[in-house]
Amino acid sequence: MIRSIEDQVGAVRAFTRRWSEVARVLDAGLLESPYALTEARVLFELNQADSLDLRELRRIMDIDPSYLTRIVGRFTADGLVAAHPSTADARKRVLRLTEQGRSVARLLDERSQEQNRALLAPLEEADRERLTAAMDTVREVIDRATGRASTGPRGTFRLRALRSGDLGWVIARHATVYADEYGWDDSFEALVARVVADFAQHRLPGRDDAWIAEVDGQPVGCVFCVHTEDERVGQLRLLLVDPAGRGLGVGSALVDACVRFAREAGYQRLVLWTNDVLASARRIYRAAGFTLADQDSHRSFGHDLVGQHWELRLS
């Protein structure tokens, strides 16, 4: 039976009252740091991007301009943010987190993850899935109603575990995307197929995992965390963001999921191999705290490339 508008309004009010209580508990954890919730959000948004001009940050945050200016001024004085005039328009200030700023942002993000994990941990797996699916639905409906999903730089996506058919999608999309965008030949598809087959045949529970990002039920990205011969070292592999999922923060979310899993699995280091032509991926790795360990030239996939090894110390 469809409820009356009065009953629906009552349901919304009851939900917002209850969730406000939960949100206050979660936000209180930020009091362990010297930053208020809005300040933490500024650090989060800047950490998600390589750089943002002040106007774009103000649009994303939707807060009072003078308040945002004061926050940015404080972060600049504290050495967390570097502000420079835009090379394209001197009237704009381009903001970028310093290494110290990224370190603080990662710390706050980890605390937020811990708080929300504590909220979900007591629930049965089925209830966790029901709760998060309902949250996805709320966000999707509101985004459509406000036009954010269709016009904003950030839309709605979710990460989920592997399902039947996903491994075939991973191989096919890697082959197609890299052929279209970089001209790589079918030897790259063969490499991806071997990596996927090794994962499927030798997966260790608690040591290996993979995630699929999807928008409106369709896969738009993936990443894998796999064990190596050294039990202290995990490896991030096969990060891909399909063109249909770009601009939404999918790549950063996938890498963050991989890093969190690696920590929980007890790895001391997380390593990866990439090529220098993959500039967007390298920005994501750097933002997540990875550092370049070494690089060398090689001929692969029909091209002369520079391979790079990156690593992240987890302990």
Side-chain angles (χ1 to χ4, degrees):
M1 183 180 69
I2 299 177
R3 291 179 288 185
S4 68
I5 184 63
E6 289 79 11
D7 289 340
Q8 292 169 345
V9 168
V12 171
R13 294 182 64 188
F15 172 79
T16 53
R17 283 197 302 272
R18 184 66 185 94
W19 187 250
S20 294
E21 296 172 0
V22 175
R24 281 197 297 271
V25 172
L26 294 176
D27 295 344
L30 292 172
L31 296 177
E32 298 177 9
S33 76
Y35 306 108
L37 177 61
T38 302
E39 294 172 328
R41 281 194 58 215
V42 170
L43 290 173
F44 173 81
E45 294 295 345
L46 289 174
N47 196 43
Q48 290 289 97
D50 187 49
S51 63
L52 285 173
D53 67 65
L54 189 59
R55 293 180 183 177
E56 177 66 6
L57 179 60
R58 185 185 304 146
R59 189 194 66 76
I60 293 171
M61 300 269 316
D62 190 25
I63 63 174
D64 179 72
S66 60
Y67 182 33
L68 179 59
T69 299
R70 290 196 299 273
I71 293 175
V72 171
R74 177 192 174 190
F75 286 164
T76 302
D78 289 347
L80 305 183
V81 171
H84 306 282
S86 169
T87 56
D89 186 346
R91 295 171 299 177
K92 293 183 178 180
R93 297 174 64 199
V94 176
L95 307 175
R96 181 178 288 109
L97 287 185
T98 63
E99 287 303 314
Q100 180 184 354
R102 293 198 182 279
S103 177
V104 171
R106 286 194 297 271
L107 175 62
L108 292 176
D109 185 62
E110 289 169 6
R111 288 182 179 176
S112 177
Q113 291 291 342
E114 291 169 1
Q115 291 165 356
N116 284 277
R117 185 177 291 110
L119 171 68
L120 295 173
L123 304 179
E124 297 291 337
E125 182 175 354
D127 285 338
R128 289 200 300 269
E129 185 60 31
R130 286 177 58 213
L131 177 63
T132 53
M135 289 175 168
D136 288 339
T137 300
V138 169
R139 190 175 63 250
E140 290 166 8
V141 171
I142 292 176
D143 282 349
R144 282 199 301 270
T146 59
R148 179 175 178 180
S150 60
T151 62
R154 286 172 170 75
T156 299
F157 67 90
R158 67 189 296 261
L159 303 189
R160 61 167 175 78
L162 287 176
R163 295 201 296 242
S164 297
D166 285 337
L167 295 182
W169 178 88
V170 169
I171 297 170
R173 289 312 293 161
H174 268 83
T176 301
V177 170
Y178 281 86
D180 290 346
E181 298 186 355
Y182 299 99
W184 290 6
D185 61 27
D186 56 9
S187 65
F188 177 66
E189 183 175 5
L191 171 64
V192 175
R194 288 194 296 272
V195 172
V196 169
D198 285 344
F199 174 84
Q201 294 171 7
H202 305 296
R203 181 178 183 178
L204 298 177
R207 303 287 285 173
D208 302 307
D209 210 342
W211 299 264
I212 297 292
E214 61 179 26
V215 173
D216 295 331
Q218 299 300 313
V220 296
C222 63
V223 74
F224 288 64
C225 184
V226 301
H227 69 277
T228 67
E229 293 182 356
D230 187 338
E231 64 179 14
R232 299 167 300 178
V233 180
Q235 185 173 9
L236 184 154
R237 307 204 74 173
L238 301 181
L239 174 67
L240 175 72
V241 180
D242 191 269
R246 292 176 186 167
L248 309 178
V250 169
S252 295
L254 287 166
V255 170
D256 287 347
C258 185
V259 171
R260 287 195 300 273
F261 173 81
R263 283 199 172 95
E264 293 169 356
Y267 291 120
Q268 296 179 21
R269 284 192 300 136
L270 188 60
V271 300
L272 64 89
W273 179 80
T274 187
N275 286 280
D276 69 339
V277 296
L278 307 180
S280 295
R282 289 189 294 110
R283 284 196 294 270
I284 292 172
Y285 298 143
R286 185 177 293 110
F290 284 85
T291 57
L292 178 63
D294 61 70
Q295 60 183 9
D296 53 68
S297 301
H298 64 103
R299 176 78 181 179
S300 301
F301 321 131
H303 294 269
D304 292 321
L305 301 169
V306 176
Q308 296 183 333
H309 291 92
W310 292 67
E311 68 173 33
L312 173 66
R313 295 193 177 277
L314 301 173
S315 58

